[in-house]
Amino acid sequence: MAPRILTFREAINEGIRLEMRRDPTVILMGEDVAGGASLPYVAGKGEEAWGGVLGVTKGLAKEFGRDRVRDTPISESAIIGAAVGAAATGLRPIAELMFVDFFGVCMDQIYNQGGKLRYMFGGKAKVPMVVRTMIGAGFRAAGQHSGSHYSVFTHMPGLKTVVPSTPYDAKGLLIAAIQDDDPVIFFEHKLLYDVKGEVPEEYYVIPLGKADIKRRGKDITIVAIGRMVAMALEAATHLSAAGLEAEVIDPRTLSPLDEDTILESVAKTHHVLVVDEDNPRCSMATDLVALVTTKVFDYLDAPPVMITAPHTPVPFSPVLEDLYIPTPEHIVKGVQEMFEPVTA
Amino acid sequence: MAPRILTFREAINEGIRLEMRRDPTVILMGEDVAGGASLPYVAGKGEEAWGGVLGVTKGLAKEFGRDRVRDTPISESAIIGAAVGAAATGLRPIAELMFVDFFGVCMDQIYNQGGKLRYMFGGKAKVPMVVRTMIGAGFRAAGQHSGSHYSVFTHMPGLKTVVPSTPYDAKGLLIAAIQDDDPVIFFEHKLLYDVKGEVPEEYYVIPLGKADIKRRGKDITIVAIGRMVAMALEAATHLSAAGLEAEVIDPRTLSPLDEDTILESVAKTHHVLVVDEDNPRCSMATDLVALVTTKVFDYLDAPPVMITAPHTPVPFSPVLEDLYIPTPEHIVKGVQEMFEPVTA
Amino acid sequence: MTEITSEKLLWIYERMRLIREFETRAAKLFAAGQLPGFVHLYAGEEAIATGVCAHLTDRDFITSTHRGHGHCIAKEVDVRSMMAELYGKEPGACKGKGGSMHIADVSKGMLGANGIVGGGGPLACGSALTAKVLGTQQVTVCFFGDGAAEQGTMHEAMNMAAIWKLPVVFVCENNGFAESTPVAYHASVKDIADRATAYNMPGLTVDGTDIFAVYEAAGEAIVRARRGEGPTLIEAKAFRYYGHFEGDPLTYYTDEMRKGFQARDPIARFRKQVLDRALVPEARLNEIDTRAVQAIDDAVAFAESSPLPVPTDLLSDVYVTYAHA
Amino acid sequence: MTEITSEKLLWIYERMRLIREFETRAAKLFAAGQLPGFVHLYAGEEAIATGVCAHLTDRDFITSTHRGHGHCIAKEVDVRSMMAELYGKEPGACKGKGGSMHIADVSKGMLGANGIVGGGGPLACGSALTAKVLGTQQVTVCFFGDGAAEQGTMHEAMNMAAIWKLPVVFVCENNGFAESTPVAYHASVKDIADRATAYNMPGLTVDGTDIFAVYEAAGEAIVRARRGEGPTLIEAKAFRYYGHFEGDPLTYYTDEMRKGFQARDPIARFRKQVLDRALVPEARLNEIDTRAVQAIDDAVAFAESSPLPVPTDLLSDVYVTYAHA
Ligand SMILES: Cc1ncc(C[n+]2csc(CCOP(=O)(O)OP(=O)(O)O)c2C)c(N)n1
Ligand SMILES: Cc1ncc(C[n+]2csc(CCOP(=O)(O)OP(=O)(O)O)c2C)c(N)n1
Ligand SMILES: [Mg+2]
Ligand SMILES: [Mg+2]
């Protein structure tokens, strides 16, 4: 039988749809997630207009109705806060923060309310909610619509953070996130939406906290996040031609982090390079390097290498933005320098 | 002549006062920074009532008037945003974010507006502002008033971040921050306010981006931030008695970071331990470890060690909060294990 | 005027007295160095929480503020667990992990004091949304201060509640100050309730030291919310006897102001009102006075003799399913 | 009705035509794959930006939105530098680093388009504070959308401007939609201007397709602000011809709606109004039409022939004094 191919966008839509069918307490809310479904003349057509700004939630308002799929005002604090309050009292809301860059208008509800409520209440409450949000550069969306910043959320105790890299993972991880009893921030890279991959029709769950080894190799461990996984795999192909076999690890969940899979790999390969599209300071890249160097230092045969975006906002001009984003070439170069140190 | 001793609180007050005298475009605003100065019957007494929630800005409204020292509504986005807008058009505002924990209601104005404006405008504007904010655990102020989170701001391009550890540094760094043409976030540890130290009366500037070696030593480099500097110095005294001489480095400015001072020290001592009161994931601790291990890996004789708060919100109960905060004992233990690895 | 049963009147009186005793004792304990941290006391505002919560059941929800003790007691949270929480003890409402500013009891519908001014508004939309989606008749009351009225989150919450006709009652407790900053300075309107028109919801200002006024206004709003007719904004004007937090030197209060407070004391007013109209026998009130003192004595004794949290409590309860080291 | 000199009328017409040409061309260029990124067009709303900015000088400030081209042109930002910015070219207003959503020219008092809905409100308080503290007579106009009216930042900004009597004019451009969500759904009030009472400031709703109505309302508000009498909220109701952003399939528009837009076209209305009343000679308008096309032709040619940024531009301008590698 031919494999079933979906885009990343469709896989996410399917993940939400299956969970909403299974569990009547799951609701979805965010700006334009139905998208004009609030218009009588659009509703009359039997279809909502948009399904989110990039069409990810299309069709859900039609299937589940406007009570469970809610367009909201542009009030991110109210959106997230309502999700927290609803989660603490019996629903399993999926709230959309359209672009992660907007976290600055609602972070309090995410980290100070959603993330801390359980701890501050001595464990006597739970907040089973998901915040879906778009990340990533490359869309020519400029300085306020292109960030990643999962590091900021991973830093915060009480939150779980998930960054899928393939359609298959996106569906299974999203279902896991919705079922999880803790607040999960689910980061969707906007440049992945049109990427296709095999996605089985059935319901399946990929547990949070389990990394995936996307490629096996013995010479170097490359840990890559989100869209950077594809970059790492492409680099691995080049490196293989040059005689170096890279193991590519996709953590998938940044918090909790599957430390064992990463550490075991580095113990085997003795080399580590991390690829992170986010800015470099206090980032997932530094987090991973610190993990490896504090825990398996003696296994390392060379200094760890970080390939990240620079310490700049995301520039608009495509020629500059292309320089901002880590590429397979950067990765190959980083690996090669590790194995043949440049002598000055 | 007897040295002039001020508290950390008084040193900050003096730094602001001197800059406000020197430069008429410097203004101060925040919740209760005058503190009831808006009340006619308090103003009548010739003194403002509070001077900020912990009294740091006392006397400034009296000297500079209510036009330049402004109480505000509880509207952090408007406070910070007004500072950004004022900075871009000719003032040098000092805005107070009472506790850093409240960044979640105004981070957009800090990082997306203040931090990015210059870059997004192609360098054709500047934002000379300071955000003063309180950090730190130990005050029994519980989960939403005890965070540090300077990592989140250090992560963001366009922002500078300063964490003073002594009254002397606080004054000189604050003056530098006010004079700086970029947005600076100035983190004041609330448990340092009553700490005393020598502070000359005159006007002096400590340049941003210069670390300070608070203690010289040859055996291990301890990099400590803010209130943790005192912990590290105390640990160093114990270690010295045990025959280990620690070099204690206070970065003072986290962004830009004085990488050279840290790396040169590690190249000399071959050991590094970082102490950070913040939560561990994607933190300054991981940032510093990644810096050292990617840049002077070959000089290291032992794995780097991170002493941080755990990945939990700050608990209220004093017995738990005391366990949350890194102590000299933790540091000593960390160093000792580095030199005499525990054999399992 | 709305009818109140004598049973309800006694319940209200008991809750008000318990709040007053709790706060008076907390102030003393703080001054004696027994209570750590930031403690914000509710004395002076008792009629608001009790007059509103008299209409609610355990199944209804409230969101609260940093000044949350009164809301807890009005929602019948156990004063022993509250006092133990203030001491940071293990049997505290939050196992000692939350403290005064985060005290909560979800089983009583009390969704937590909140250290973030304006933090409760969005949360209230959430519990109200649960009620709406699940079709229960639960109402949520969102208590917030006059200072919180200037926080953007409250604006967003009121607009959202209005367009979705959520069963929320917004109760602005206007005690005249946000910390040391007077409402006449920080608010652009004379009455916060004037902002109701900005959300096309009913708005009214009541004397927050008059239990009958509060009770009546809240009753109508709660019935409206239960009927699915949407939110209401009630502003209750009162005062606080104590400083913003314990330790506040209160330099912004004048002697005249303090005298004015005494004249409006909500508990004294209540006594006068019900006794003048012979609604309940004085002996019953006196009994309640005695019981309130006993209950707080008992709560303090309980708190003092309770065990502290154990070290492993530091790391638990961060997640439901992810034990972090 | 306020007097408008014919010179001013011609200025307004020229700016409106430039905006329309700029946007029409941008739509075509986007469809042809020439312009990258998110492009939000202002066509249909020309009377708002121009009617307001006709009262301002270079020294006055405006804050803008993601839909900022019209504000830029009304504030006399050079269309060449704007078009070059849309192309991401080095001579762009922001050296190609900002793009459509961040286009700015501080030297013209244009404090930037803004990718964050509601982001400009607080900034407007800031430039107004500068004017107030330094005692200049500069006014700041804060343009924001109907959707932005639900963002907490706008609430905070309006309250702050009101209590400090800042010289700000808040202009809500109500084009009926926030992306695909209609204002009747997202707003709890019929007219956004009704919210002015929540800040005790004057508020009025005008037809944003009628330049004379906008001009008059803005004129009064700006005089008031300059006099130190504080902010005003003006809601201007209009529509947008294009989608939320280019690429929007506009499934939420009906044919009837589109017909209604044509009937209210602000430029056609302006022509009719001034010609009917013989306020300016038609020939002058026709000249302006021609010049506008030429100016945009020229701007496109300039943009196309301009150099791209160089790689080192990636790392510059992050800080004034801290060159980061
Ligand atoms: C977002 C935020 N800003 C500031 C504070 C600090 N703070 C705590 S209480 C308070 C005053 C609150 O005033 P009000 O809402 O009137 O409540 P009241 O204390 O009078 O009961 C302030 C400014 C905070 N906790 N959260
Ligand atoms: C804080 C924030 N939330 C959401 C968005 C995404 N967004 C961009 S424009 C827009 C709609 C804005 O509507 P309105 O304010 O009416 O302006 P219009 O587009 O109609 O001019 C939205 C939701 C954003 N940019 N910023
Ligand atoms: Mg108050
Ligand atoms: Mg709109």
mmCIF file of all heavy atoms in Angstrom, chain B residues 32 35 38-39 41 45 50 71 75-76 98 140 144-145 311 316-317, chain C residues 37 85 88 96-97 102 115 150-151 179-181 185 248 251-252 319:
data_model
loop_
_atom_site.group_PDB
_atom_site.id
_atom_site.type_symbol
_atom_site.label_atom_id
_atom_site.label_comp_id
_atom_site.label_asym_id
_atom_site.label_seq_id
_atom_site.Cartn_x
_atom_site.Cartn_y
_atom_site.Cartn_z
ATOM 1 N N ASP B 32 4.948 54.017 42.137
ATOM 2 C CA ASP B 32 5.353 54.477 43.472
ATOM 3 C C ASP B 32 6.811 54.909 43.560
ATOM 4 O O ASP B 32 7.362 54.955 44.652
ATOM 5 C CB ASP B 32 5.071 53.380 44.517
ATOM 6 C CG ASP B 32 3.633 52.883 44.464
ATOM 7 O OD1 ASP B 32 2.765 53.540 45.022
ATOM 8 O OD2 ASP B 32 3.372 51.849 43.819
ATOM 9 N N GLY B 35 5.931 57.856 45.113
ATOM 10 C CA GLY B 35 5.224 57.142 46.176
ATOM 11 C C GLY B 35 4.352 58.061 46.966
ATOM 12 O O GLY B 35 4.776 58.555 48.006
ATOM 13 N N SER B 38 2.057 62.132 44.550
ATOM 14 C CA SER B 38 0.900 62.683 43.864
ATOM 15 C C SER B 38 -0.160 63.171 44.839
ATOM 16 O O SER B 38 -1.148 63.771 44.457
ATOM 17 C CB SER B 38 0.338 61.604 42.942
ATOM 18 O OG SER B 38 0.499 60.332 43.545
ATOM 19 N N LEU B 39 0.042 62.901 46.103
ATOM 20 C CA LEU B 39 -0.929 63.355 47.101
ATOM 21 C C LEU B 39 -0.569 64.750 47.578
ATOM 22 O O LEU B 39 0.525 64.965 48.089
ATOM 23 C CB LEU B 39 -0.897 62.420 48.313
ATOM 24 C CG LEU B 39 -1.431 61.028 48.079
ATOM 25 C CD1 LEU B 39 -1.020 60.122 49.226
ATOM 26 C CD2 LEU B 39 -2.939 61.079 47.955
ATOM 27 N N TYR B 41 -1.316 66.357 50.228
ATOM 28 C CA TYR B 41 -0.957 66.477 51.638
ATOM 29 C C TYR B 41 0.394 65.850 51.931
ATOM 30 O O TYR B 41 1.043 66.194 52.893
ATOM 31 C CB TYR B 41 -2.047 65.900 52.550
ATOM 32 C CG TYR B 41 -2.433 64.482 52.247
ATOM 33 C CD1 TYR B 41 -1.756 63.413 52.809
ATOM 34 C CD2 TYR B 41 -3.489 64.212 51.387
ATOM 35 C CE1 TYR B 41 -2.115 62.113 52.519
ATOM 36 C CE2 TYR B 41 -3.849 62.910 51.093
ATOM 37 C CZ TYR B 41 -3.164 61.871 51.662
ATOM 38 O OH TYR B 41 -3.509 60.590 51.380
ATOM 39 N N LYS B 45 4.183 68.061 52.894
ATOM 40 C CA LYS B 45 5.189 67.784 53.915
ATOM 41 C C LYS B 45 6.604 67.962 53.382
ATOM 42 O O LYS B 45 7.567 67.783 54.124
ATOM 43 C CB LYS B 45 5.058 66.335 54.405
ATOM 44 C CG LYS B 45 3.803 66.034 55.194
ATOM 45 C CD LYS B 45 3.902 64.591 55.747
ATOM 46 C CE LYS B 45 2.524 64.006 56.021
ATOM 47 N NZ LYS B 45 2.559 62.548 56.165
ATOM 48 N N TRP B 50 7.111 57.285 49.767
ATOM 49 C CA TRP B 50 7.717 55.962 49.689
ATOM 50 C C TRP B 50 9.081 55.958 49.014
ATOM 51 O O TRP B 50 10.028 55.426 49.549
ATOM 52 C CB TRP B 50 6.788 55.025 48.913
ATOM 53 C CG TRP B 50 5.866 54.249 49.749
ATOM 54 C CD1 TRP B 50 5.370 54.578 50.966
ATOM 55 C CD2 TRP B 50 5.340 52.964 49.422
ATOM 56 N NE1 TRP B 50 4.552 53.578 51.418
ATOM 57 C CE2 TRP B 50 4.505 52.574 50.487
ATOM 58 C CE3 TRP B 50 5.468 52.105 48.331
ATOM 59 C CZ2 TRP B 50 3.813 51.370 50.493
ATOM 60 C CZ3 TRP B 50 4.788 50.918 48.322
ATOM 61 C CH2 TRP B 50 3.963 50.545 49.395
ATOM 62 N N ASP B 71 5.246 58.976 39.378
ATOM 63 C CA ASP B 71 4.464 57.799 39.727
ATOM 64 C C ASP B 71 3.641 57.408 38.504
ATOM 65 O O ASP B 71 3.228 58.276 37.718
ATOM 66 C CB ASP B 71 3.496 58.129 40.869
ATOM 67 C CG ASP B 71 4.182 58.084 42.237
ATOM 68 O OD1 ASP B 71 5.216 57.429 42.364
ATOM 69 O OD2 ASP B 71 3.662 58.728 43.165
ATOM 70 N N SER B 75 0.598 49.803 34.949
ATOM 71 C CA SER B 75 0.469 49.611 33.502
ATOM 72 C C SER B 75 1.878 49.429 32.955
ATOM 73 O O SER B 75 2.438 50.322 32.338
ATOM 74 C CB SER B 75 -0.163 50.850 32.863
ATOM 75 O OG SER B 75 -1.386 51.197 33.463
ATOM 76 N N GLU B 76 2.460 48.275 33.198
ATOM 77 C CA GLU B 76 3.867 48.089 32.851
ATOM 78 C C GLU B 76 4.142 48.252 31.371
ATOM 79 O O GLU B 76 5.203 48.757 30.985
ATOM 80 C CB GLU B 76 4.365 46.721 33.332
ATOM 81 C CG GLU B 76 4.642 46.649 34.832
ATOM 82 C CD GLU B 76 3.411 46.430 35.682
ATOM 83 O OE1 GLU B 76 2.304 46.277 35.115
ATOM 84 O OE2 GLU B 76 3.530 46.402 36.925
ATOM 85 N N MET B 98 8.909 46.975 38.720
ATOM 86 C CA MET B 98 9.112 46.772 40.159
ATOM 87 C C MET B 98 9.823 45.452 40.471
ATOM 88 O O MET B 98 10.863 45.440 41.114
ATOM 89 C CB MET B 98 7.765 46.861 40.864
ATOM 90 C CG MET B 98 7.863 46.993 42.359
ATOM 91 S SD MET B 98 6.224 46.995 43.106
ATOM 92 C CE MET B 98 5.590 48.601 42.663
ATOM 93 N N ARG B 140 11.335 35.690 50.993
ATOM 94 C CA ARG B 140 10.085 34.983 51.347
ATOM 95 C C ARG B 140 8.912 35.613 50.572
ATOM 96 O O ARG B 140 7.794 35.769 51.072
ATOM 97 C CB ARG B 140 9.798 35.069 52.844
ATOM 98 C CG ARG B 140 10.691 34.227 53.727
ATOM 99 C CD ARG B 140 12.166 34.428 53.517
ATOM 100 N NE ARG B 140 13.000 33.716 54.463
ATOM 101 C CZ ARG B 140 13.862 32.738 54.120
ATOM 102 N NH1 ARG B 140 14.028 32.371 52.847
ATOM 103 N NH2 ARG B 140 14.598 32.165 55.039
ATOM 104 N N GLN B 144 5.935 34.458 42.638
ATOM 105 C CA GLN B 144 5.801 35.483 41.598
ATOM 106 C C GLN B 144 6.540 36.776 41.943
ATOM 107 O O GLN B 144 6.335 37.807 41.293
ATOM 108 C CB GLN B 144 4.316 35.770 41.325
ATOM 109 C CG GLN B 144 3.604 34.583 40.664
ATOM 110 C CD GLN B 144 2.103 34.778 40.537
ATOM 111 O OE1 GLN B 144 1.502 35.531 41.291
ATOM 112 N NE2 GLN B 144 1.493 34.075 39.586
ATOM 113 N N HIS B 145 7.407 36.735 42.953
ATOM 114 C CA HIS B 145 8.166 37.934 43.323
ATOM 115 C C HIS B 145 9.609 37.605 43.686
ATOM 116 O O HIS B 145 10.237 38.348 44.443
ATOM 117 C CB HIS B 145 7.525 38.641 44.532
ATOM 118 C CG HIS B 145 6.256 39.366 44.242
ATOM 119 N ND1 HIS B 145 5.078 38.724 43.973
ATOM 120 C CD2 HIS B 145 5.974 40.698 44.161
ATOM 121 C CE1 HIS B 145 4.126 39.617 43.756
ATOM 122 N NE2 HIS B 145 4.631 40.810 43.859
ATOM 123 N N HIS B 311 15.166 23.449 38.862
ATOM 124 C CA HIS B 311 14.137 23.740 37.850
ATOM 125 C C HIS B 311 12.751 23.725 38.519
ATOM 126 O O HIS B 311 11.912 22.869 38.248
ATOM 127 C CB HIS B 311 14.234 22.682 36.745
ATOM 128 C CG HIS B 311 13.311 22.911 35.582
ATOM 129 N ND1 HIS B 311 13.474 23.931 34.690
ATOM 130 C CD2 HIS B 311 12.210 22.230 35.153
ATOM 131 C CE1 HIS B 311 12.532 23.881 33.761
ATOM 132 N NE2 HIS B 311 11.736 22.868 34.029
ATOM 133 N N PHE B 316 7.523 29.293 48.737
ATOM 134 C CA PHE B 316 7.353 30.276 49.799
ATOM 135 C C PHE B 316 8.038 29.869 51.103
ATOM 136 O O PHE B 316 8.782 30.628 51.705
ATOM 137 C CB PHE B 316 5.866 30.532 50.061
ATOM 138 C CG PHE B 316 5.637 31.247 51.354
ATOM 139 C CD1 PHE B 316 6.092 32.546 51.550
ATOM 140 C CD2 PHE B 316 4.988 30.621 52.412
ATOM 141 C CE1 PHE B 316 5.900 33.210 52.752
ATOM 142 C CE2 PHE B 316 4.790 31.279 53.618
ATOM 143 C CZ PHE B 316 5.247 32.573 53.792
ATOM 144 N N SER B 317 7.769 28.680 51.541
ATOM 145 C CA SER B 317 8.205 28.288 52.886
ATOM 146 C C SER B 317 9.708 28.513 53.043
ATOM 147 O O SER B 317 10.508 28.000 52.261
ATOM 148 C CB SER B 317 7.870 26.813 53.125
ATOM 149 O OG SER B 317 8.127 26.491 54.475
ATOM 150 N N GLY C 37 7.667 37.171 54.729
ATOM 151 C CA GLY C 37 7.220 37.551 53.388
ATOM 152 C C GLY C 37 6.292 38.734 53.313
ATOM 153 O O GLY C 37 6.174 39.524 54.242
ATOM 154 N N GLU C 85 -0.557 28.014 55.967
ATOM 155 C CA GLU C 85 0.103 28.454 54.734
ATOM 156 C C GLU C 85 0.936 29.708 54.993
ATOM 157 O O GLU C 85 2.063 29.840 54.509
ATOM 158 C CB GLU C 85 -0.944 28.720 53.643
ATOM 159 C CG GLU C 85 -0.357 28.955 52.260
ATOM 160 C CD GLU C 85 0.456 27.770 51.746
ATOM 161 O OE1 GLU C 85 0.119 26.618 52.056
ATOM 162 O OE2 GLU C 85 1.465 28.016 51.043
ATOM 163 N N GLY C 88 4.074 28.859 56.245
ATOM 164 C CA GLY C 88 4.909 28.012 55.388
ATOM 165 C C GLY C 88 4.982 26.570 55.874
ATOM 166 O O GLY C 88 5.994 25.902 55.696
ATOM 167 N N GLY C 96 2.455 25.005 52.032
ATOM 168 C CA GLY C 96 3.490 25.966 52.403
ATOM 169 C C GLY C 96 4.269 26.500 51.219
ATOM 170 O O GLY C 96 5.154 27.335 51.382
ATOM 171 N N LYS C 97 3.940 26.056 50.029
ATOM 172 C CA LYS C 97 4.722 26.475 48.858
ATOM 173 C C LYS C 97 4.246 27.780 48.253
ATOM 174 O O LYS C 97 4.960 28.399 47.464
ATOM 175 C CB LYS C 97 4.660 25.392 47.794
ATOM 176 C CG LYS C 97 5.425 24.157 48.153
ATOM 177 C CD LYS C 97 5.199 23.106 47.087
ATOM 178 C CE LYS C 97 6.249 22.031 47.165
ATOM 179 N NZ LYS C 97 6.106 21.073 46.064
ATOM 180 N N HIS C 102 -0.472 33.383 47.296
ATOM 181 C CA HIS C 102 -0.881 32.362 46.330
ATOM 182 C C HIS C 102 -1.835 31.354 46.930
ATOM 183 O O HIS C 102 -2.092 30.310 46.342
ATOM 184 C CB HIS C 102 0.349 31.672 45.747
ATOM 185 C CG HIS C 102 1.325 32.645 45.202
ATOM 186 N ND1 HIS C 102 1.049 33.390 44.083
ATOM 187 C CD2 HIS C 102 2.514 33.084 45.656
ATOM 188 C CE1 HIS C 102 2.058 34.228 43.866
ATOM 189 N NE2 HIS C 102 2.954 34.072 44.803
ATOM 190 N N GLY C 115 -0.215 36.971 42.756
ATOM 191 C CA GLY C 115 0.810 37.971 42.981
ATOM 192 C C GLY C 115 0.943 38.975 41.857
ATOM 193 O O GLY C 115 1.688 39.945 41.974
ATOM 194 N N GLU C 150 -6.036 49.493 35.823
ATOM 195 C CA GLU C 150 -5.194 50.118 34.789
ATOM 196 C C GLU C 150 -4.311 49.106 34.070
ATOM 197 O O GLU C 150 -3.519 49.467 33.203
ATOM 198 C CB GLU C 150 -4.309 51.209 35.403
ATOM 199 C CG GLU C 150 -4.904 52.061 36.488
ATOM 200 C CD GLU C 150 -6.231 52.701 36.170
ATOM 201 O OE1 GLU C 150 -6.696 52.577 35.032
ATOM 202 O OE2 GLU C 150 -6.817 53.312 37.079
ATOM 203 N N GLN C 151 -4.421 47.860 34.448
ATOM 204 C CA GLN C 151 -3.608 46.815 33.829
ATOM 205 C C GLN C 151 -4.332 46.303 32.580
ATOM 206 O O GLN C 151 -5.534 46.031 32.619
ATOM 207 C CB GLN C 151 -3.423 45.691 34.861
ATOM 208 C CG GLN C 151 -2.571 44.528 34.447
ATOM 209 C CD GLN C 151 -1.125 44.888 34.179
ATOM 210 O OE1 GLN C 151 -0.697 44.859 33.031
ATOM 211 N NE2 GLN C 151 -0.388 45.250 35.203
ATOM 212 N N GLU C 179 -0.956 50.555 46.206
ATOM 213 C CA GLU C 179 0.194 50.807 47.083
ATOM 214 C C GLU C 179 0.048 52.214 47.670
ATOM 215 O O GLU C 179 -0.926 52.487 48.373
ATOM 216 C CB GLU C 179 1.521 50.612 46.331
ATOM 217 C CG GLU C 179 1.660 49.180 45.823
ATOM 218 C CD GLU C 179 3.073 48.756 45.474
ATOM 219 O OE1 GLU C 179 3.944 49.602 45.273
ATOM 220 O OE2 GLU C 179 3.303 47.525 45.386
ATOM 221 N N SER C 180 0.978 53.128 47.327
ATOM 222 C CA SER C 180 0.896 54.483 47.889
ATOM 223 C C SER C 180 0.274 55.476 46.918
ATOM 224 O O SER C 180 0.220 56.669 47.199
ATOM 225 C CB SER C 180 2.310 54.948 48.256
ATOM 226 O OG SER C 180 3.083 55.111 47.085
ATOM 227 N N THR C 181 -0.166 54.985 45.775
ATOM 228 C CA THR C 181 -0.648 55.876 44.726
ATOM 229 C C THR C 181 -2.173 55.967 44.748
ATOM 230 O O THR C 181 -2.856 54.949 44.598
ATOM 231 C CB THR C 181 -0.159 55.371 43.350
ATOM 232 O OG1 THR C 181 1.266 55.304 43.368
ATOM 233 C CG2 THR C 181 -0.607 56.289 42.227
ATOM 234 N N TYR C 185 -5.217 59.726 41.225
ATOM 235 C CA TYR C 185 -4.058 59.966 40.373
ATOM 236 C C TYR C 185 -3.958 58.923 39.264
ATOM 237 O O TYR C 185 -3.722 59.243 38.108
ATOM 238 C CB TYR C 185 -2.781 59.952 41.217
ATOM 239 C CG TYR C 185 -1.510 60.083 40.397
ATOM 240 C CD1 TYR C 185 -1.036 61.330 40.016
ATOM 241 C CD2 TYR C 185 -0.789 58.960 39.986
ATOM 242 C CE1 TYR C 185 0.124 61.456 39.248
ATOM 243 C CE2 TYR C 185 0.365 59.076 39.224
ATOM 244 C CZ TYR C 185 0.819 60.329 38.853
ATOM 245 O OH TYR C 185 1.947 60.454 38.096
ATOM 246 N N ASP C 248 4.581 48.577 55.768
ATOM 247 C CA ASP C 248 4.339 49.875 55.123
ATOM 248 C C ASP C 248 4.179 50.944 56.213
ATOM 249 O O ASP C 248 3.320 50.820 57.083
ATOM 250 C CB ASP C 248 3.058 49.724 54.284
ATOM 251 C CG ASP C 248 2.542 51.027 53.699
ATOM 252 O OD1 ASP C 248 3.168 52.081 53.910
ATOM 253 O OD2 ASP C 248 1.511 50.967 53.007
ATOM 254 N N THR C 251 2.785 56.453 55.379
ATOM 255 C CA THR C 251 2.999 57.907 55.378
ATOM 256 C C THR C 251 1.978 58.654 54.520
ATOM 257 O O THR C 251 1.877 59.874 54.612
ATOM 258 C CB THR C 251 4.400 58.219 54.839
ATOM 259 O OG1 THR C 251 4.742 57.232 53.860
ATOM 260 C CG2 THR C 251 5.429 58.182 55.956
ATOM 261 N N TYR C 252 1.265 57.921 53.688
ATOM 262 C CA TYR C 252 0.284 58.581 52.815
ATOM 263 C C TYR C 252 -1.118 58.618 53.426
ATOM 264 O O TYR C 252 -2.060 59.028 52.766
ATOM 265 C CB TYR C 252 0.271 57.895 51.435
ATOM 266 C CG TYR C 252 0.146 56.393 51.521
ATOM 267 C CD1 TYR C 252 -1.083 55.777 51.588
ATOM 268 C CD2 TYR C 252 1.287 55.587 51.573
ATOM 269 C CE1 TYR C 252 -1.189 54.402 51.703
ATOM 270 C CE2 TYR C 252 1.188 54.216 51.680
ATOM 271 C CZ TYR C 252 -0.043 53.633 51.735
ATOM 272 O OH TYR C 252 -0.151 52.265 51.853
ATOM 273 N N TYR C 319 5.495 19.523 37.987
ATOM 274 C CA TYR C 319 4.727 18.907 36.904
ATOM 275 C C TYR C 319 3.866 17.798 37.479
ATOM 276 O O TYR C 319 4.157 17.286 38.563
ATOM 277 C CB TYR C 319 5.665 18.298 35.849
ATOM 278 C CG TYR C 319 6.547 19.308 35.171
ATOM 279 C CD1 TYR C 319 7.829 19.571 35.628
ATOM 280 C CD2 TYR C 319 6.086 20.023 34.069
ATOM 281 C CE1 TYR C 319 8.639 20.507 35.007
ATOM 282 C CE2 TYR C 319 6.893 20.968 33.439
ATOM 283 C CZ TYR C 319 8.158 21.206 33.915
ATOM 284 O OH TYR C 319 8.943 22.140 33.295
#
